[in-house]
Structure formats: structure tokens, C-alpha cells
């Protein structure tokens, strides 16, 4: 098995394992107690805090251990908003934050606060000037991730921090994805992170709050962790988390450079090997280990399943892999294709051969899925393919499966309607592609769909194909998406 | 070192350790993912939930793993109150709940809710009828611990649950102390517990919510743990917690009976060995492993320090051992002495010899502390003492240290004022005792004190000494406590 989902969680680092097992015998007592076992536990907790603070770049008394990165974000957002309530009730976030931040923002809105979302470009990056423009006198808090968890794009934290400083607004940085690779640029007011992303155990998050930042703890009082994280301290786990953060940081420069080259290989080869694949995210200003691409005419869940059967564990932002049936909010904010989406995030130590093997099996698997879904002719592996599977897609007859489009669209008509109601991603786009060749240049295709993914994928298909997307309008059922053939 | 503070935390159970270390390799992935590592993690999580639910006596889908027992209580109280908001905003708790419950109640009051506290008798037990009388039509939730964490007294959960059922009020039971020893009697609606109390790792609490109980999650949304515990699941830890709960339960009947006898020995011997010591809590309806006693004229922190130096780790509800300078709210609610308070809670497997050794060293340590504080003549080890240290206290001259009382009280006067302002527990009571013999029967002593412990300890001294406590009134500085000599 090859595990390529480091952005989700990674196995315990050997250093973390060693620290954890050792501390099971030393760190189980209550560090608030005055007897020997308690004092020993307190020493371990203090040591963990110093190590973690050093890696974060803050003072130990600014750092709180929380039960998870999610809790660090929830506590940080709520506490900073409450502490700045007199300044105002406006919260500014980027549109591509982790769901922990967006859920905290929703909770704030539900309590009567206002939330401003700053959009991103097609690489997933916020524009510092656009972000700065949202910081008004009523803004209590701004949130910006250090790097995106789905596409790897680094955010302009230093520039946004400077804008926040100028506006007198504290900035909370969700550093969950980047902290293993290096400290966040200075200027943040609050910082959140999650240990199981860097080989620490589950159950440990970090919340750093700079001295001088107004912060009012919400919820019931508790004397532990400066009142910011209720409940008995998990000392073996925080020790392991701190030890592994230090260990991965020591290897970060060299390992990051090595993984960066492997990711560059994936970024370059996937579009050569797989027709109609789009690599998304910033090619340069990005996390070293993460790459995301999408494949037209592919169901993300099916592709993940095929990759799993072939021994590769990856994740996807496709709607079909989520219980909500909506594509990833990150891909939506970027305006890029969501269907057939695959996120590859390499754990430290990933051998080159595993990446090459992934590139070797991917094209055949994509072709197989496309064939199964009756993808249109022309979709398949391009001539750069290292396997022979590329011919499968290309060899599939255009109407291999009875498409819903047949009823509505007639070959050669100037205006064709594709009825994809009740069909889910990637079918609406497949049906669009199937009839598109039959429409004369200048003609239009209307796709009727009630699948949320179509809102993203029909325009993305136009962008990739160089065709004109004319927009959407409500239909009797679902939504009508209008496309004009320009070439 | 002998560790007698199981009620605070216990070392990891060998079964928990084994499960934890094994699951580090198997349970690190995200159980929401569809690939192999995720599916494996999901299986482990499901297995842990089934094991824990079986021990709790609920359905697996009623059980949520939280990051701590404290979080289980906070989430349970807030969620049940929010779910029953239409019924009313009244919360009923016992006066001796764990601080997690009382802090949740304070948070509720701060949001405009009302809180009713049901008092306890001198054993720390609530009266079911008194509890039932507090359940009115506007009561949204009732909370009652299964057994008290400081004095071990079992609460009448079954009777109170029946009263709650009759009143249509859900009952949340904080089972943190009793769950290792057995399931909570039926009738509860919500139940909270903490794994590190039964040899599970830190970082795991349980929250069970019966089907049909109205529950509305507060705070930001999160899809994990039925939305009731935000953040990445800590699967190795929950597996270890479930495994150790099952293991300690298998030994609970036999080990509970054995520890019960050891505790009975402590309960019987301490008053024989130590003069002016009071064993508190219910002698029969109690946790098997826990006993609490208080010693007149002793500073709790100093006694704990001496016990620690002698190799015994225990805890105390004395004010001098807490940062708030107030005695334990449990002892206050019971109206018993708080000074020189010692809680002994035996971990499973405690050898009989350790208890005997504790009983052998305790009298000498108490005498030494009393001597250092200048305790009055007559305080010391009683004739049952197994050490020769008992003579130390008795041999100390009545005014060995210059007491503040000398300035105010004159021997033989009908009414003596003891100025103990600025002096902390146990000095005010020591000064009272020093002059008391000089006041004729029928005369009074007024103790001026600004130490919160005096409010509890002066009346408790009267109770122990069979003297009449006349009450308190505000003084120019601090409070005046009035005592009449009756014998």
C-alpha cells in the first residue's frame, strides 16, 4: 500500500512514538498536583510547551495545547471575536479556509455577527489588496490559512499580516498544513495547528495567542491551559507532538526540496499522461508535498476506489466523494474543474519509485473509469502515456451508453438541450461533450442539471475546451447552463 | 513512592497500554476516508465504541468520544439545555458536583439561565425528595454525580432519576468516579465519564445521550462523532480507553471488595491514631477505594508536602492547597472541617502493606505539622498511636508561638476577641483553641478572620468540640465568628 494523503493525516513519526511510549509511564498524573508524580508531569508539560513554542516562534506562555487543530481554530476564532467585541462584530476570512474556520464563521454569523469572504484567483490565492480592502473599522478578526489544504497554494500571509497591522485587526493564521515545513512568517496574532499532520499523535492541536491580543474565553471556565483548553492535559501526546514537530522541522528543508521535485514531476507528467486533466493550484508558491488535479469525465469516488484497489490512498474534492453532494468549496472558489479530482500529498520519506508507479497506473485507471461512464470520443490517455490503456477511452463509441441527451438533442441542430436532470457528476459534462461535436460553430448547448457540481464543471469544461460559457438560469427543474461553440 | 490519588488520575492500565501501542500503527488515518487506512481506522473506532457502550449500558450510536471528561460534561450540559430551551432555562445541580458541572452551570447563568443547587447532608449526599422538589415545569436539565469525587459518597441516582422521569426532566449523570466500578443505575438521560480515571489514556471522555433526549449541539458545526465532538478522532486513545474500561470492570467486584476493606481500615484507624481528626463521607454508601478525613490545627498543604516527602501522594480539599484560597466546595456544602484535609483514593492493586504503612507514618506527620503551627495543648496523637510522635503535640506549650490572640484576649475574661486577620488556615482555629480554655463556661470567643476557610472551620471546630457556634457578622475588616463555651 502506498499512502499519498499526508494532508489528511500521517502515521506517527518514530520520534513521536518513542516520546509517547516513554511518557505513558511518566506523564499520566495531574500536573496541577503538588506530589512527585504531579510535579514530574508538570515538568514534561512545560518541556513540551517550550519545544512547541520554539517551533512555532512564540513564547511558551503564548502557547496552549488543545485537543485538536479543529478545537484550536474554534477556540481561537471565538475567543478573539469575543475579546474584540467592542471593536465590532465583523469577521474576515478567505473563501478557501479549512472547514474548521468556515464553521466557526458560520457560528459567528448565527450569533448575529457578520462574515466577509475574500475570494481567490484560479490558483487559490487571495489578493492581499483585496483582502486589505475588507478590513474596516468594525472588523474584529481576520483569518487566513498559511497554505491551502486541498491545492497546496501558499497564501500571502506576510502581506495580509501587514495590512491587518495597519488596520489594527488581529490575524489568525491556520497553519495546519504548513507548520511541519517551517514557521509562519511573522505578523500573526493567533496561530492554530494540528499535530497529526506532522507525525504527532491525534488529540493534540496548538493555539498560540500573542501577548497583547485581546482574547476572551467562551464557554465554561476551566483552570487548565491558561483557561483556553478545558479538560485534563494529555501529556504523553503533547510531548510526542512537540518532539515530532522538532524532528520533522530538522528534516524539512532537505525533505521539502526532494518532495518538491517529485510533485513537480506529477504536475508535469499528469497532463501529458492523461488527456483532459487539469493540474490546479499555484505551481511555485505552494506546499512542497501536495498536488491536486482534476480529470474531465471522471467520477472522483470511482477513481479513488480504483486507485485504492491499485494500492494508492489519495483523497478528492469531488462532490461524489462527499456526503453533502457538493464539490469542495476550495475548487468552487477557484472556479476550476471538480470532477475526477485527486489530491496527492506525499508523506515525508516517500520513495521516488512510488510516485513513478502512481504515474504509471493512473492513466489506465482514468481511462477505465471514463469508459465505464461512456465518456465521449477523444477523452483518454494522450500520446505521452506510458501504458497502453490510453486507447480505451479514445476507442469508446461516442454514444456507448444511451445518454439522456439523445432525447433532447438532435445532431446538427443550432441549439441543443441536454437533459441531465437526476444524473450526477460527471454525467452532465459527459452528455455535454457527447453532443457538442454535433453543434455547428456558433450554435449552443443547454445543459439541464440539478447536480451542484455542474455549476462548477460546465464552466470549467468551457475554460479547458476554449468554448464560451454564456451563463446559467433557473429552469423548471434544476438549472440551465448555456454553452456556445466557438471552434 | 506510593500513589494514593486514583480519584485524580491513575497510571495507564497494562491492557490500555497494549491497545494504545498496537493502534498507533493501525489507527492513525482519518476514519472518514474511503481508502484502506481510513477503513481500518473506522473499524477500530467502531469496535471501541461498541466496547465502551457495552460497559456504559447504552447503544453504540448513543455514545460519543470526547477529548476529556470535562468536555463531555460541558458538551452534555450545554447541548441538553439548548435542546430543551423551549421547556425552560432552569438547571438543577447538586451542590457537590465536580467543578466541570458547576462551571457549565455558571456559564448557563451568565447567559441568562437560572441554576438551582440542591444541598447535601453532612455525609455529602443529596436527599432525593429535596432534589425532586427543585424540578419544576421550567426545568430543562438536572445533573447529579453518581458518586462524589472528594468524599466518595454515592448519590441516590436511581431515586433522583425516577423523580426526573416523573417531572419529564432529563438527568445528566457525571459518572467519572464510579464508572470503573460498575454501570450507573438505569434512568439517566445523559452520562459523562473520563478514561484516565480507569486506566485509560488522557484525552478521552465519554458522552452518552439516550435516543429521544433533545439535544442541540452548541458551537461550530463538525461532522465527526455525530456532530457532538469536533476534531479529528483519537482512535488509538479511544481503543485503549475502551479496552481498559472492560478490563477494570472484569476485576471490579473482587478488587472493589478488597479495597473497601482497606478503606474501612483507614476509616476506623485514623480517628484512633490522630487526635482531632474527622473522617467524612458516607461510611457505607460510598466508592470502594476512597476515604477523606480532616485534621484540626493542620495546614493541608504542609501535610501533603510531608506525606509526599514520606513517599505518599494524596490530595486535599484544604484551601491552602488551592490557588483560590477557598476550601473545597464539597466540604463547604457538607459543613465539615476543611483544614488538614486529606483524600486517600487507592488505585486498583494497592497492596495492604502500603495502607498500613500510611497509617503508621500519618500520626507523626500530623503531630509534626501541628507542632510547627503552634497548635494548642491536647492536640496530638491519641493513645492508639503506633508511633511515639504523639507526645510532640501534647508536649508543646500552649503559647509556644506568639499568637495574635495574646493582644486581644486576656485569660479569664468572659468575652475574648481573637484577631486572626491576615492569617490563613489553620491559624484562626488554632488561635481560637489556644484561648478557649481560658474563657469560663458560658463565656464567648470572637474570632476575627479574613480567611475564607474560617467560615467553615470555626463552626466545624465547635461541632467537633461540642461547643456552641453563635454565628458570624461582618466586622470592620473581615468577619467576626462568635463561639460560646458550653463545657
Amino acid at each position: 500500500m502506498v499512502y499519498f494523503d499526508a494532508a489528511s493525516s500521517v502515521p506517527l513519526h518514530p520520534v513521536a512514538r518513542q516520546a509517547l511510549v516513554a511518557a505513558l509511564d511518566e506523564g499520566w498524573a495531574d500536573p496541577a498536583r503538588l506530589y512527585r508524580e504531579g510535579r514530574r508531569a508538570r515538568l514534561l508539560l512545560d518541556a513540551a510547551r517550550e519545544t512547541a513554542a520554539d517551533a512555532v516562534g512564540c513564547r511558551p506562555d503564548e502557547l496552549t495545547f488543545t485537543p485538536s487543530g479543529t478545537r484550536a481554530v474554534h477556540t481561537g476564532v471565538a475567543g478573539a471575536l469575543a475579546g474584540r467585541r467592542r471593536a465590532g462584530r465583523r469577521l474576515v476570512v478567505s473563501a478557501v479556509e479549512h472547514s474548521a474556520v468556515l464553521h466557526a464563521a458560520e457560528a459567528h454569523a448565527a450569533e448575529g455577527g457578520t462574515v466577509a469572504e475574500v475570494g481567490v484567483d484560479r490558483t487559490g490565492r487571495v489578493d492581499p489588496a483585496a483582502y486589505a480592502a475588507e478590513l474596516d473599522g468594525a472588523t474584529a478578526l481576520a483569518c487566513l490559512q498559511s497554505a491551502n489544504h486541498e491545492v497546496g497554494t501558499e497564501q500571502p500571509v506576510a502581506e495580509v499580516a501587514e495590512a491587518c497591522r495597519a488596520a489594527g485587526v488581529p490575524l489568525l493564521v491556520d497553519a495546519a498544513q504548513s507548520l511541519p515545513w517551517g514557521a509562519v512568517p511573522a505578523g500573526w496574532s493567533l496561530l492554530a495547528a494540528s499535530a497529526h499532520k506532522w507525525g504527532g499523535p491525534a488529540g493534540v492541536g496548538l493555539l498560540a495567542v500573542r501577548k497583547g491580543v485581546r482574547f476572551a474565553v467562551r464557554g465554561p471556565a476551566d483552570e487548565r491551559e491558561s483557561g483556553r483548553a478545558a479538560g485534563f492535559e494529555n501529556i504523553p501526546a503533547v510531548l510526542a507532538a512537540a518532539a515530532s514537530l522538532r524532528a520533522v522541522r530538522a528534516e524539512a528543508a532537505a525533505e521539502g526540496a526532494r518532495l518538491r521535485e517529485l510533485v513537480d514531476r506529477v504536475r508535469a507528467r499528469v497532463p501529458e499522461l492523461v488527456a483532459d486533466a487539469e493540474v490546479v493550484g499555484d505551481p511555485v508558491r505552494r506546499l512542497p508535498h501536495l498536488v491536486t488535479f482534476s480529470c474531465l469525465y471522471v467520477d472522483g469516488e470511482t477513481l479513488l476506489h480504483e486507485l485504492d484497489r491499485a494500492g494508492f490512498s489519495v483523497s478528492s474534492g469531488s462532490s461524489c466523494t462527499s456526503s453533502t453532494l457538493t464539490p469542495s468549496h476550495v475548487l468552487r472558489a477557484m472556479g476550476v474543474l471538480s470532477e475526477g479530482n485527486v489530491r496527492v500529498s506525499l508523506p515525508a520519506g516517500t520513495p521516488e519509485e512510488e510516485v513513478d508507479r502512481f504515474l504509471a497506473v493512473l492513466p489506465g485507471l482514468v481511462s477505465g473509469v471514463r469508459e465505464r461512464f461512456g465518456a465521449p470520443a477523444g477523452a483518454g490517455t494522450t500520446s505521452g502515456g506510458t501504458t497502453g490503456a490510453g486507447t480505451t477511452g479514445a476507442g469508446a463509441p461516442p454514444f456507448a451508453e444511451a445518454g439522456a441527451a439523445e432525447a433532447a438533442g438532435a445532431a446538427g441542430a443550432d441549439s441543443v438541450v441536454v437533459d441531465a436532470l437526476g444524473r450526477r457528476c460527471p454525467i452532465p459534462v459527459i452528455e455535454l461533450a457527447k453532443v457538442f461535436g454535433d453543434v455547428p460553430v456558433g450554435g449552443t448547448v443547454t445543459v439541464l442539471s440539478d447536480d451542484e457540481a455542474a455549476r462548477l464543471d460546465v464552466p470549467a469544461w468551457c475554460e479547458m475546451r476554449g468554448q464560451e460559457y454564456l451563463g446559467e438560469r433557473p429552469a423548471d427543474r434544476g438549472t440551465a447552463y448555456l454553452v456556445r461553440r466557438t471552434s
Side-chain angles (χ1 to χ4, degrees), chain A residues 413-429:
Chain A
D414 263 15
S415 171
V416 172
V417 176
V418 173
D419 180 356
L421 291 166
R423 316 280 316 260
R424 285 191 29 222
C425 157
I427 302 298
V429 173

Side-chain angles (χ1 to χ4, degrees), chain A residues 278-352:
Chain A
E278 181 181 22
V279 178
V280 297
D282 195 293
V284 178
R285 291 178 297 192
R286 61 169 175 81
L287 292 168
H289 67 306
L290 194 156
V291 53
T292 296
F293 55 87
S294 299
C295 308
L296 267 180
Y297 317 132
V298 170
D299 166 38
E301 180 164 350
T302 305
L303 181 56
L304 253 56
H305 180 68
E306 293 298 324
L307 281 164
D308 179 50
R309 283 184 52 186
F312 292 93
S313 299
V314 299
S315 77
S316 171
S318 291
S319 60
C320 9
T321 55
S322 82
S323 54
T324 57
L325 299 182
T326 56
S328 133
H329 69 276
V330 173
L331 302 177
R332 266 185 290 161
M334 293 165 66
V336 296
L337 186 70
S338 82
E339 65 186 32
N341 180 260
V342 172
R343 177 183 73 181
V344 170
S345 49
L346 308 175
T350 297
E352 184 179 4

Side-chain angles (χ1 to χ4, degrees), chain A residues 166-416:
Chain A
V169 174
L171 175 66
L172 183 150
V173 173
D174 171 11
Q177 289 298 333
S178 77
L179 202 64
W181 301 106
V184 172
W188 52 269
S189 305
L190 302 99
L191 182 146
S194 175
H196 71 99
K197 310 281 191 194
W198 66 67
V204 183
L206 303 182
L207 172 62
V209 182
R210 289 281 192 205
K211 288 288 159 198
V213 172
R214 284 184 193 279
F215 195 88
V217 177
R218 301 288 302 274
D222 193 271
E223 73 279 10
R224 298 181 187 272
E225 288 295 297
S226 315
R228 289 175 183 165
F232 192 76
E233 294 92 342
N234 191 348
I235 292 173
V238 302
L239 262 176
S244 60
L245 180 55
R246 181 164 56 187
V248 300
R249 277 293 190 76
E251 308 152 357
E255 184 62 9
R258 195 181 70 83
L259 294 183
R260 182 170 288 275
E261 283 184 22
L262 293 180
V263 163
D264 278 337
R265 189 179 306 177
V266 175
R267 294 186 69 96
R269 293 293 286 154
V270 163
E272 293 169 6
L273 296 168
V274 181
D276 300 319
E278 181 181 22
V279 178
V280 297
D282 195 293
V284 178
R285 291 178 297 192
R286 61 169 175 81
L287 292 168
H289 67 306
L290 194 156
V291 53
T292 296
F293 55 87
S294 299
C295 308
L296 267 180
Y297 317 132
V298 170
D299 166 38
E301 180 164 350
T302 305
L303 181 56
L304 253 56
H305 180 68
E306 293 298 324
L307 281 164
D308 179 50
R309 283 184 52 186
F312 292 93
S313 299
V314 299
S315 77
S316 171
S318 291
S319 60
C320 9
T321 55
S322 82
S323 54
T324 57
L325 299 182
T326 56
S328 133
H329 69 276
V330 173
L331 302 177
R332 266 185 290 161
M334 293 165 66
V336 296
L337 186 70
S338 82
E339 65 186 32
N341 180 260
V342 172
R343 177 183 73 181
V344 170
S345 49
L346 308 175
T350 297
E352 184 179 4
E353 301 72 46
E354 288 185 354
V355 173
D356 288 339
R357 196 145 57 80
F358 176 79
L359 290 171
V361 305
L362 179 71
L365 297 177
V366 170
S367 295
V369 174
R370 282 174 172 166
E371 190 175 5
R372 214 183 307 170
F373 277 90
T381 308
T382 61
S383 53
T386 55
T387 72
T391 53
T392 318
F399 290 91
E401 289 186 358
E406 287 178 292
D414 263 15
S415 171
V416 172

